[in-house]
């Protein structure tokens, strides 16, 4: 028996008692918004493949083509021998997509947020860090050891009060443009104005907006320019893997020299670069898919709200069906799976106690009848 086994087993028992135990389940994305799991084909309302690009032939072909041309791996970190011309070309393409001077690639969204925020806080000792209460766990990881001044979720008035009352060093505001568990949006226009008025650095996480919202799918920050740093991922609407930071040339140069998560990580492999390159080529021309996604979201919210089921302040492709207790959310998800529908139950600590929910992630590849089938099943099951 390993030295910590007794403690690990006891911790798992406590997690079980709270109905918060997680287990890995094998799944395979299938065409037309479906997924294969445990021998069954389900209509998938849990994956973040919002535009259906994960199985798009161009992404698959270019990933294979670039792997065949450049190899399976990059060989080293970016500052050793790992920077290929393809890395620089893709970063230039990202910067153009985001309307920024420069961009930098990271292996994943978690890795990016945790590493970049830590590097920014290291740059200016005494930085006052203002964070929305519902920022992603990766941002909390990046702020580890640093005091956060938290403002109420999407409450710009509260943020202004906190900024006005603060004294001391530089100010850094961190929030998301679309929140992953609630599907609601930040008021970026006002946040940009607030940051400017208080001479604060504004960091926006666009993971769930990239590809889906804003002109040409360039995110909400494209319609409300002025953030100092915008990050996003390729693993959601863009259907592949990895993350980016976009901003000034000075910012990117600093991160190349001071961000440990960049400096000490092997460079992203060619196949990943090829898929990103293809996704960036496709996304600007997908207005019809974005419109369909917005329609699906509005339709599902209307159906659930009419039945008295809360969806919070969702206004995007992410629609929470608020259930309440963790055990009830798990039971509802299991019942829906029997109906051929996959809808993930989200429980604490991911969401606050008493707000367990189904997180319904819509896709452009869903048909309206799929959305109606989901709404019918949720309403019927919650009325029992």
């Amino acid at each position: 028996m390993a030295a910590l086994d007794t403690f690990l087993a006891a911790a798992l028992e406590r997690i079980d008692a709270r109905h918060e135990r997680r287990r890995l389940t094998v799944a395979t994305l299938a065409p037309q918004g479906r997924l294969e799991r445990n021998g069954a084909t389900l209509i998938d309302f849990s994956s973040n493949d919002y535009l259906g690009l994960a199985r798009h032939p161009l992404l698959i072909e270019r990933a294979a083509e670039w792997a065949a041309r450049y190899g399976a791996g990059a060989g080293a970190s970016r500052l050793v021998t790992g920077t290929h011309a393809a890395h620089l070309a893709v970063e230039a393409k990202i910067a153009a997509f985001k309307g920024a001077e420069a961009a930098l690639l990271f292996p994943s969204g978690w890795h990016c947020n945790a590493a970049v925020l830590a590097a920014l806080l290291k740059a200016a000792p005494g930085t006052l860090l203002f964070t929305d209460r519902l920022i992603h766990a990766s941002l909390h990881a990046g702020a580890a050891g640093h005091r956060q001044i938290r403002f109420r979720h999407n409450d710009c008035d509260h943020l202004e009060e906190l900024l006005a009352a603060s004294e001391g060093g530089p100010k850094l505001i961190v929030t998301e443009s679309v929140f992953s568990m609630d599907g609601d949006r930040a008021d970026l226009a006002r946040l940009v104005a607030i940051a400017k008025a208080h001479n604060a650095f504004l960091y926006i996480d666009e993971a769930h907006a990239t590809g889906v919202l804003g002109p040409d799918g360039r995110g909400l920050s494209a319609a409300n320019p002025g953030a100092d740093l915008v990050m996003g991922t390729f693993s959601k609407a863009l259907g592949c893997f990895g993350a980016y930071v976009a901003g000034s040339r000075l910012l990117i140069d600093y991160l190349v020299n001071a961000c440990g998560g960049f400096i000490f990580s092997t460079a992203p492999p060619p196949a990943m670069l090829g898929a990103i390159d293809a996704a960036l080529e496709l996304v600007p021309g997908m207005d019809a898919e974005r419109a369909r996604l917005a329609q699906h979201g509005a339709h599902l919210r209307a159906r659930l709200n009419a039945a008295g089921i809360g969806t919070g302040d969702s206004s995007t492709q992410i629609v929470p069906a608020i259930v309440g207790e963790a055990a009830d959310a798990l039971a509802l998800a299991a019942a829906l799976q029997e109906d051929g529908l996959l809808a993930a139950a989200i429980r604490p600590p991911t969401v606050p106690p008493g707000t367990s929910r189904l997180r319904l992630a819509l896709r452009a590849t869903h048909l309206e009848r799929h959305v109606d089938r989901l709404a019918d099943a949720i309403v019927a099951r919650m009325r029992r």
Side-chain angles (χ1 to χ4, degrees):
M1 178 180 287
L4 290 179
D5 280 3
T6 301
F7 300 97
L8 300 179
L12 282 172
E13 286 177 7
R14 292 193 296 272
I15 292 170
D16 264 331
R18 299 194 302 267
H19 303 284
E20 294 173 9
R21 180 80 173 262
R22 274 80 168 169
R23 291 177 173 84
L24 299 176
T25 305
V26 174
T28 304
L29 291 178
Q32 297 180 327
R34 290 178 165 81
L35 179 143
E36 295 172 2
R37 191 175 190 180
N38 294 331
T41 299
L42 308 169
I43 302 175
D44 177 18
F45 292 101
S46 294
S47 301
N48 295 325
D49 184 24
Y50 303 130
L51 296 176
L53 288 179
R55 294 180 58 89
H56 195 285
L58 185 62
L59 273 71
I60 296 167
E61 289 166 12
R62 196 161 298 170
E65 176 193 339
W66 286 30
R69 186 187 304 172
Y70 303 122
S77 66
R78 293 285 300 275
L79 291 177
V80 182
T81 63
T83 295
H84 190 280
H87 290 93
L88 300 181
V90 169
E91 285 170 342
K93 203 166 186 175
I94 295 163
F97 178 70
K98 296 300 293 184
E101 289 181 2
L104 198 63
L105 284 164
F106 284 83
S108 74
W110 172 280
H111 185 118
C112 180
N113 273 335
V116 168
L117 184 54
L120 291 176
L121 293 171
K122 181 175 66 174
T127 294
L128 301 176
L129 177 60
F130 299 84
T131 58
D132 187 290
R133 284 194 174 275
L134 296 188
I135 56 170
H136 193 265
S138 57
L139 291 163
H140 290 303
H146 197 100
R147 176 176 175 256
Q148 295 184 51
I149 304 169
R150 299 188 183 184
F151 57 95
R152 290 186 292 269
H153 176 51
N154 276 345
D155 189 336
C156 290
D157 290 339
H158 189 215
L159 172 60
E160 283 200 291
E161 290 171 13
L162 293 172
L163 284 163
S166 66
E167 296 179 1
K171 300 176 179 65
L172 172 56
I173 302 167
V174 179
T175 190
E176 302 178 33
S177 61
V178 172
F179 287 82
S180 61
M181 291 299 118
D182 294 85
D184 55 346
R185 313 179 194 207
D187 184 346
L188 288 198
R190 189 164 176 207
L191 284 166
V192 167
I194 289 170
K196 184 176 180 180
H198 291 272
N199 193 30
F201 185 101
L202 181 58
Y203 182 132
I204 303 293
D205 178 334
E206 290 244 85
H208 292 273
T210 301
V212 175
L213 298 170
D216 299 325
R218 294 187 290 119
L220 291 178
S221 61
N224 301 278
D228 298 283
L229 181 155
V230 175
M231 72 76 63
T233 62
F234 304 107
S235 53
K236 297 170 179 65
L238 274 72
C240 44
F241 192 66
Y244 66 86
V245 166
S248 69
R249 171 54 61 189
L250 177 67
L251 169 68
I252 299 306
D253 193 31
Y254 169 74
L255 293 175
V256 166
N257 285 275
C259 181
F262 175 83
I263 295 168
F264 301 110
S265 291
T266 297
M272 172 179 154
L273 298 177
I276 292 170
D277 186 70
L280 288 169
E281 186 176 305
L282 291 170
V283 162
M286 299 185 74
D287 283 345
E289 287 82 358
R290 283 186 280 275
R292 188 180 312 125
L293 201 52
Q295 272 184 332
H296 286 338
H299 184 60
L300 180 58
R301 282 188 293 273
R303 288 289 318 275
L304 295 179
N305 294 162
I309 299 169
T311 57
D313 292 323
S314 166
S315 63
T316 65
Q317 75 281 1
I318 302 166
V319 181
I322 310 297
V323 176
E325 296 305 315
D328 294 333
L330 286 170
L332 179 56
L336 291 175
Q337 188 160 328
E338 293 175 5
D339 296 333
L341 305 165
L342 186 63
I346 305 296
R347 302 155 280 160
T350 307
V351 294
T355 70
S356 291
R357 66 199 60 189
L358 300 183
R359 179 191 181 270
L360 306 171
L362 297 165
R363 289 155 75 174
T365 46
H366 288 138
L367 302 176
E368 187 172 313
R369 60 182 171 84
H370 295 153
V371 179
D372 277 323
R373 179 174 165 186
L374 173 68
D376 289 341
I378 292 174
V379 171
R381 293 286 187 175
M382 289 188 71
R383 282 177 174 168
R384 291 182 185 178

